Amino acid sequence: MMIAPSDTQQLAAWLKVLAEPRRLQILNLLMEGVQCNCELGDYLDMAPNLISHHLSVLRKAGLVDVERDAVDARWIYYSLNRAAFATLNTAFGTFFDPARIQPRRTVCGPQDGVILADTIRVTSR
Amino acid sequence: MMIAPSDTQQLAAWLKVLAEPRRLQILNLLMEGVQCNCELGDYLDMAPNLISHHLSVLRKAGLVDVERDAVDARWIYYSLNRAAFATLNTAFGTFFDPARIQPRRTVCGPQDGVILADTIRVTSR
DNA sequence: AAAGAAGTTCAATGACCGTTGAATTATATC
DNA sequence: GATATAATTCAACGGTCATTGAACTTCTTT
């Protein structure tokens, strides 16, 4: 399977949102059913405005949904978008699939066209 | 399944290496068997020193291996580390698994302890 | 030994973005 | 209406890091 450059751009954008320790922690807590700003703050020892910021980024990426409390509208609840996680998971699984790795071939250099075995991993360099 | 905070730190470090469009493009080309700096430069229209930099980052992350040409040692060949990609792939698959998402529960707020259904996705806000 | 070639390292620049504290909004209670 | 609460928005700061051009290293060829 071949992956187009445009897909790598899309994938990179998604990875960029996820490549943040605190955002991953937030996602991890949301996975467990935790959902309001204040509680996330208690668990992660973060200021509410910072949590707001990260949740905003996650929301714009389509990973997180928002809902106000029906009884007291001051509370805002966050939850994960299952569909987004499903597509995300398959996209990662496809791109980083080890089975997708083709045997190496030299196209430039002196050994042009030779198919080579996997590189032996060396300690130094 | 519950994922520890330490794992999220590790995962974030990995994601940070991957969250770069040009690095993803390089990985994608390496997947297809391309391997020397010069050739990567031709495909991606990047300066060789920049490719060197990104390859160095990927190498330090353990995703890429290096080997000198046996005939002409000026050429240096890069390849993907299959083992690293295998563990990477399973780590992602585990963390972002939609099946891991627990039902939401209110622990703070007026509806304390209530189990709620998935949030209905709304267009605005 | 000198010239050329493949690649890396170095130093400097600039942009992006996480973080912080303060101000603001929206809602509920007294 | 006034006060309190949950959360967001704003402005400013600072660090990280991709990018660039130049210098350097290593190896080959003549």
Side-chain angles (χ1 to χ4, degrees), chain A residues 51-92:
Chain A
I51 296 183
S52 258
H53 164 65
H54 285 308
L55 282 171
S56 163
V57 174
L58 292 170
R59 195 158 49 76
K60 278 167 189 157
L63 296 172
V64 164
D65 291 335
V66 192
E67 190 184 18
R68 280 191 180 271
D69 190 296
V71 176
D72 187 337
R74 285 176 301 184
W75 269 268
I76 296 180
Y77 299 137
Y78 293 94
S79 60
L80 297 185
N81 185 307
R82 273 195 166 80
F85 267 75
T87 57
L88 184 79
N89 207 30
T90 48
F92 282 2

Side-chain angles (χ1 to χ4, degrees), chain A:
Chain A
M1 173 179 310
M2 159 97 171
I3 290 183
S6 61
D7 291 340
T8 65
Q9 297 289 330
Q10 175 66 34
L11 192 62
W14 235 340
L15 286 168
K16 208 170 182 185
V17 171
L18 298 170
E20 223 291 320
R22 313 191 109 137
R23 278 202 281 270
L24 277 188
Q25 287 176 356
I26 290 175
L27 286 182
N28 203 30
L29 284 176
L30 290 177
M31 286 255 187
E32 295 167 18
V34 176
Q35 52 171 358
C36 73
N37 189 323
C38 63
E39 197 181 2
L40 291 170
D42 288 346
Y43 276 114
L44 302 176
D45 196 39
M46 291 169 58
N49 57 350
L50 185 51
I51 296 183
S52 258
H53 164 65
H54 285 308
L55 282 171
S56 163
V57 174
L58 292 170
R59 195 158 49 76
K60 278 167 189 157
L63 296 172
V64 164
D65 291 335
V66 192
E67 190 184 18
R68 280 191 180 271
D69 190 296
V71 176
D72 187 337
R74 285 176 301 184
W75 269 268
I76 296 180
Y77 299 137
Y78 293 94
S79 60
L80 297 185
N81 185 307
R82 273 195 166 80
F85 267 75
T87 57
L88 184 79
N89 207 30
T90 48
F92 282 2
T94 305
F95 190 93
F96 297 109
D97 183 9
R100 202 165 70 84
I101 301 177
Q102 300 293 319
R104 300 189 299 144
R105 52 191 162 73
T106 24
V107 182
C108 61
Q111 303 197 45
D112 192 341
V114 178
I115 306 283
L116 299 168
D118 278 16
T119 295
I120 314 306
R121 186 131 165 76
V122 187
T123 7
S124 68
R125 145 142 287 256

